[in-house]
Amino acid sequence: MTITHRAVAIVSGLWLLFGPALAGAAGKPAAVDSARLNAADREPGNWMSHGRTYGEQRFSPLARVNDRNIERLGLAWQFKYDLDRVVEATPIVVDGVLYTTGAYSMVYALDATSGKLLWKYDPEVYRGIQGSGCCDAANRGVAVWKGRVYVGVYDGRLVALDARTGRQVWSVDTVIDHERNYTITGAPRIVKGKVVIGNGGAEFGVRGYVTAYDAATGKQVWRFFTVPGDPAKGDESDTITMIRKTWHGDQYWKQGGGGTAWNAMAYDPELDLLYIGVGNGSFWNYGLRSEGKGDNLFLSSIVAVRPDTGKYVWHYQTTPGDAWDYTATQDIIVATLPIDGKPRKVVMQAPKNGFFYVLDAATGQFISAEKFGSIVTWAKGIDKATGRPVFDAEAADYWTRGEAKLVFPGSQGAHNWHPMSFNPQTGLAYIPQHTSAERYDPLKVARKPARGVPNLGVEIPAVPEDRKELDELARLFTGKLQAWDPVRQKEVWSVPYPMMSNGGTMTTAGNLVFQGTTHGELVAYAADSGRKLWRREVSSGVVAGPVTYEVRGEQYVAFNVGWGGAFPITFGAIAQRSPVVPDSRLLVFKLGGTAAMPEVRRRVFTPPAPPPQTASAETVNAGRKLYADNCGACHGLGAMSANVIPDLRYLDAERHKEFEAIVFGARSHLGMPPFGHRLETDDIERIRAFLIKRAHDLKDEIAAARAATEDKTR
Ligand code: CA
């Protein structure tokens, strides 16, 4: 080693030891800029952006905790959230401070070694607004930049906070039309001084876009629409003119078209490309949306743009003419892989549609795609020459035949937003994979968009109320942690889970993969073999992706715990089989940690005590349909809830008396939106009759199960 090299090594070693701490001590907290983010691997102790680095591999070079000592990993500290609700956030850790979010976009700054609350910011989101989004009052975390913390708020605000105090510096409204149901659940990304954020809302009828704001002032720099708008208003750019040719009829722009970019973004500083994952079509029904014609760009695509201008560079569409809610909003990873024997910079994604894609990062050129989903029926494969799917004729045109079709995956995909990770040492991607299915039942006539009403162009899916039928169905909806070789496009190992929608993954140079599960576990596996090495139980389900960081020579592993999101709220019929209870916490571990784990509680189904059923079967049936259209998306289809949002079978006599008042808004401050504009008194009584029936069903089921157990033990 020459003297110069030694000097560089010593200086960078010193930087590792003291640099981050000095940066924090000397000046502002969260003093992150392009230089630090572009060289994030130089300070592996920090987790400075959503996927740790701009390439979002969720790989940490830290190895102090590793496959040989992980049994010594114990709780260092915990933090209890204000609300026992959904926690989807990836924490950000900079210079000893951890920034995270809970439900309703509340932001917390904590001492990363003790969990001491430094400050809290509550954007005071109107609780009743939660029904204006498809998938719970979730937030996937903050971004930090030059002494500020940035959060996208559920109601569409983008807010900059002082990282020292949590005080608001500026706030902008990202929503272009408040008559539509725009939300923000995603984490902002900050590239070259611009805060970039997309919105949610495609299930309700909105037009998707991504906006970049000046991080210092909040001034809008650019906006990139992902689908064309009202042609009478003119195209915003040549790109919009180009993509409009792939849409037909006039329903798409009236409905909004969809294409919301509500989650995935990644950046490559070398290529100076920002990658955006674009969501599904609105309507889902391709026939109603675009007369069943055209690719409908940029639905279900990865789009690369210039971060300075938002100018289009390339796109790759995973699902042309999407008809199944197959978003390409699943996390995007940039990596260098050996392709045909040569290193090539690629982007990788495992979107809902069940195929794992590897694309050239510079050009978007298709390299390979294979099925990672366990059951994928909408397409037979991806044509290697064209990069286009070979559709299954029956699944692909359910809207033209006008009859319901069971398709795999369903709207929950073969993988949802729960972030995957990639370990360059094993060469494997770790996917929170799952199996879902859906019966797509097309409507013949399009409904008009309305506030707070999902508008899919297909019927809200019915779930069986019969216990046996439901058990059959539930057996399909399993999950697994899947280690995937992206070069050979093959599964290398997997660990099965009893249920879908498990938490995001994180992998380290200590040959580890960390993941939380929907049945209330935190687990670590050997990254190369999948061997289970460590496990702790928690009361709630886990959906967020864990992170790891180091402060003063100690490595920490942080898990956000708190169940929620589309699967447990809408598909409570299946999710209720997980025995978890609402209990939202941040749990942080270290080697030799001795803090006491919180007590583990489990859901027990006690018999409900409903009032007697006095309504006719006809009234109950009418109530079933009204419930599905108005209540099922949050309280669970078929009135079966996983208890993230109250299980209405357990309403007591007192609540039944107040039922109409509650529906009209008496509990909107607690999150129950007012439905007075949508439901008449008679309709509310019909819904109540259906709930009483479902409560008696559950009571009978519990009695039958108890009798069966007694029979066995006799
Ligand atoms: Ca969707």
Side-chain angles (χ1 to χ4, degrees):
M1 195 185 264
T2 65
I3 287 171
T4 329
H5 280 126
R6 274 187 74 119
V8 169
I10 289 166
V11 168
S12 59
L14 285 174
W15 164 255
L16 280 182
L17 279 175
F18 300 112
L22 286 176
K28 295 192 243 176
V32 164
D33 56 13
S34 285
R36 284 184 82 181
L37 286 175
N38 289 346
D41 277 339
R42 232 185 274 154
E43 34 181 320
N46 286 322
W47 191 289
M48 296 185 288
S49 65
H50 192 63
R52 197 185 71 81
T53 59
Y54 271 141
E56 305 225 341
Q57 294 183 1
R58 291 175 182 262
F59 165 77
S60 170
L62 298 179
R64 211 175 286 269
V65 177
N66 56 56
D67 55 354
R68 293 178 307 281
N69 63 16
I70 188 157
E71 73 278 2
R72 289 178 45 226
L73 196 67
L75 190 67
W77 57 266
Q78 60 161 312
F79 176 76
K80 180 91 178 94
Y81 286 102
D82 291 277
L83 300 169
D84 282 326
R85 287 291 307 279
V86 59
V87 184
E88 295 188 353
T90 298
I92 298 292
V93 186
V94 188
D95 306 330
V97 182
L98 184 150
Y99 306 91
T100 188
T101 61
Y104 291 105
S105 332
M106 288 164 80
V107 185
Y108 302 85
L110 306 166
D111 181 311
T113 60
S114 68
K116 184 182 162 239
L117 180 67
L118 303 175
W119 54 259
K120 175 170 99 176
Y121 169 77
D122 182 354
E124 293 177 358
V125 174
Y126 165 57
R127 297 292 188 255
I129 202 179
Q130 68 171 338
S132 297
C134 64
C135 305
D136 215 346
N139 186 280
R140 283 182 291 280
V142 299
V144 294
W145 181 262
K146 295 189 176 175
R148 288 182 185 168
V149 177
Y150 298 83
V151 62
V153 180
Y154 193 71
D155 57 21
R157 283 175 281 161
L158 178 71
V159 177
L161 306 170
D162 184 316
R164 189 181 296 284
T165 61
R167 251 181 248 126
Q168 184 176 310
V169 179
W170 55 254
S171 171
V172 293
D173 183 5
T174 70
V175 174
I176 53 170
D177 179 358
H178 279 284
E179 293 305 305
R180 306 272 180 151
N181 296 264
Y182 283 102
T183 53
I184 299 179
T185 56
R189 310 300 203 277
I190 305 185
V191 175
K192 298 165 94 176
K194 288 155 203 81
V195 194
V196 189
I197 190 77
N199 303 75
E203 269 57 58
F204 298 81
V206 302
R207 183 186 182 196
Y209 56 89
V210 166
T211 319
Y213 299 89
D214 184 306
T217 62
K219 192 168 170 280
Q220 185 178 319
V221 183
W222 53 259
R223 175 165 283 153
F224 181 86
F225 284 99
T226 56
V227 297
D230 179 353
K233 290 183 179 159
D235 293 345
E236 289 85 354
S237 67
D238 293 348
T239 305
I240 298 296
T241 308
M242 167 184 93
I243 63 177
R244 190 184 296 284
K245 296 189 181 91
T246 68
W247 293 77
H248 296 269
D250 61 1
Q251 280 300 315
Y252 71 87
W253 61 264
K254 287 182 179 163
Q255 169 70 3
T260 45
W262 50 267
N263 185 49
M265 276 183 259
Y267 172 61
D268 188 80
E270 220 173 69
L271 297 167
D272 194 31
L273 289 176
L274 174 70
Y275 306 102
I276 299 164
V278 183
N280 59 279
S282 179
F283 311 102
W284 289 2
N285 183 329
Y286 178 45
L288 291 182
R289 186 178 73 233
S290 185
E291 301 176 344
K293 291 185 287 192
D295 285 349
N296 292 186
L297 292 172
F298 293 114
L299 293 185
S300 310
S301 301
I302 296 177
V303 184
V305 304
R306 293 286 173 215
D308 286 320
T309 56
K311 204 167 156 12
Y312 163 86
V313 178
W314 61 254
H315 77 275
Y316 174 82
Q317 189 174 39
T318 62
T319 314
D322 161 53
W324 310 273
D325 188 16
Y326 287 165
T327 65
T329 49
Q330 287 50 58
D331 291 60
I332 298 165
I333 289 178
V334 187
T336 300
L337 296 183
I339 304 290
D340 299 326
K342 280 190 217 120
R344 192 159 169 190
K345 193 176 273 186
V346 303
V347 295
M348 297 184 265
Q349 193 186 44
K352 276 189 185 174
N353 78 12
F355 287 88
F356 190 102
Y357 293 87
V358 179
L359 311 171
D360 185 285
T363 62
Q365 193 197 334
F366 174 84
I367 296 173
S368 64
E370 290 296 338
K371 285 180 185 177
F372 72 93
S374 301
I375 314 176
V376 177
T377 64
W378 69 277
K380 295 182 173 70
I382 309 297
D383 185 298
K384 288 190 172 48
T386 62
R388 291 178 68 87
V390 182
F391 289 98
D392 173 274
E394 274 198 34
D397 67 350
Y398 70 84
W399 62 89
T400 52
R401 281 171 294 110
E403 58 190 60
K405 175 76 189 172
L406 184 74
V407 181
F408 291 77
S411 61
Q412 296 296 302
H415 167 220
N416 205 336
W417 63 268
H418 316 82
M420 71 170 181
S421 57
F422 172 74
N423 188 323
Q425 297 180 347
T426 61
L428 301 176
Y430 303 97
I431 313 167
Q433 191 252 47
H434 56 226
T435 302
S436 75
E438 197 143 320
R439 207 170 148 273
Y440 295 89
D441 188 358
L443 296 179
K444 287 182 182 61
V445 184
R447 291 185 191 134
K448 279 208 178 96
R451 255 208 95 76
V453 190
N455 198 10
L456 311 173
V458 300
E459 293 286 0
I460 300 286
V463 295
E465 289 170 25
D466 174 75
R467 171 58 58 179
K468 269 199 190 125
E469 263 182 73
L470 187 62
D471 285 349
E472 291 269 294
L473 183 73
R475 268 195 279 279
L476 285 175
F477 288 74
T478 55
K480 65 177 171 180
L481 169 60
Q482 186 177 38
W484 186 264
D485 180 337
V487 177
R488 293 188 303 143
Q489 288 281 15
K490 272 177 86 157
E491 180 181 300
V492 174
W493 56 258
S494 69
V495 179
Y497 291 134
M499 197 174 290
M500 61 175 292
S501 231
N502 295 288
T505 68
M506 181 266 292
T507 180
T508 75
N511 190 30
L512 295 170
V513 182
F514 292 92
Q515 186 183 26
T517 73
T518 45
H519 42 284
E521 283 179 308
L522 312 176
V523 200
Y525 303 93
D528 54 1
S529 67
R531 196 157 49 90
K532 191 187 275 189
L533 301 174
W534 178 89
R535 177 180 177 271
R536 292 288 181 277
E537 275 189 67
V538 291
S539 295
S540 190
V542 185
V543 287
V547 302
T548 187
Y549 59 91
E550 194 169 275
V551 185
R552 292 192 289 276
E554 270 191 306
Q555 185 183 349
Y556 296 81
V557 180
F559 283 92
N560 259 326
V561 176
W563 207 15
F567 170 63
I569 66 171
T570 306
F571 298 91
I574 291 153
Q576 66 178 347
R577 299 161 73 92
S578 172
V580 296
V581 297
D583 183 18
S584 298
R585 297 167 193 265
L586 175 64
L587 296 178
V588 179
F589 298 84
K590 66 175 182 182
L591 293 178
T594 54
M597 285 288 289
E599 182 202 354
V600 177
R601 292 175 291 122
R602 291 289 176 236
R603 185 179 190 187
V604 180
F605 281 93
T606 52
Q613 181 63 276
T614 54
S616 68
E618 199 188 346
T619 304
V620 169
N621 286 336
R624 175 180 288 109
K625 174 89 177 84
L626 286 160
Y627 175 91
D629 289 345
N630 294 285
C631 323
C634 292
H635 289 283
L637 297 171
M640 289 172 274
S641 165
N643 233 4
V644 172
I645 290 173
D647 191 322
L648 300 182
R649 294 171 296 184
Y650 284 94
L651 293 180
D652 59 17
E654 207 49 40
R655 294 282 175 274
H656 271 282
K657 268 187 225 151
E658 294 167 21
F659 192 75
E660 182 167 333
I662 294 170
V663 174
F664 277 104
R667 299 189 138 228
S668 61
H669 60 292
L670 297 172
M672 170 63 197
F675 280 72
H677 60 298
R678 283 159 58 178
L679 294 167
E680 310 275 332
T681 299
D682 288 354
D683 288 342
I684 294 169
E685 274 308 294
R686 289 177 184 115
I687 291 171
R688 210 168 66 79
F690 172 64
L691 292 175
I692 292 171
K693 176 192 187 284
R694 296 298 291 139
H696 283 282
D697 289 348
L698 177 59
K699 207 173 137 187
D700 295 348
E701 273 171 33
I702 292 171
R706 280 187 184 171
T709 321
E710 274 164 28
D711 263 3
K712 258 187 222 159
T713 50
R714 206 171 277 151

